[in-house]
Amino acid sequence: MENGFIESFNGRLRDECLNAELFSDLLDARTKLEAWRRDYNEHRPHSSIGNLTPIEFANSVRTAERQKEAISSS
């Protein structure tokens, strides 16, 4: 209840993966959860970060930080 972002993520994880999949064993659970995580972070745009994927957003932040460092060190 205190962190809306985490609550939203937990709800998506539960709805889209945990409730939708049957896990036969721990390895199967790890494999399916990793596939869901990769899709969530690498392929799915998120409206809260300008319709970028989280990996695209992280890369853009890193690029902006490097540019600021380059400007400030000049």
Side-chain angles (χ1 to χ4, degrees), residues 17-25 28-29 32:
C17 188
L18 300 177
N19 290 344
E21 298 285 350
L22 293 175
F23 305 113
S24 59
D25 55 29
D28 184 43
K32 289 175 179 173

Side-chain angles (χ1 to χ4, degrees), residues 8 12 16 36-58:
S8 176
R12 277 199 206 305
E16 296 174 7
W36 183 87
R37 185 196 65 78
R38 290 180 67 97
D39 178 62
Y40 185 87
N41 287 323
E42 298 175 10
H43 303 287
R44 197 185 304 185
H46 296 244
S47 61
S48 63
I49 53 175
N51 289 317
L52 297 173
T53 65
I55 200 161
E56 291 170 330
F57 180 76

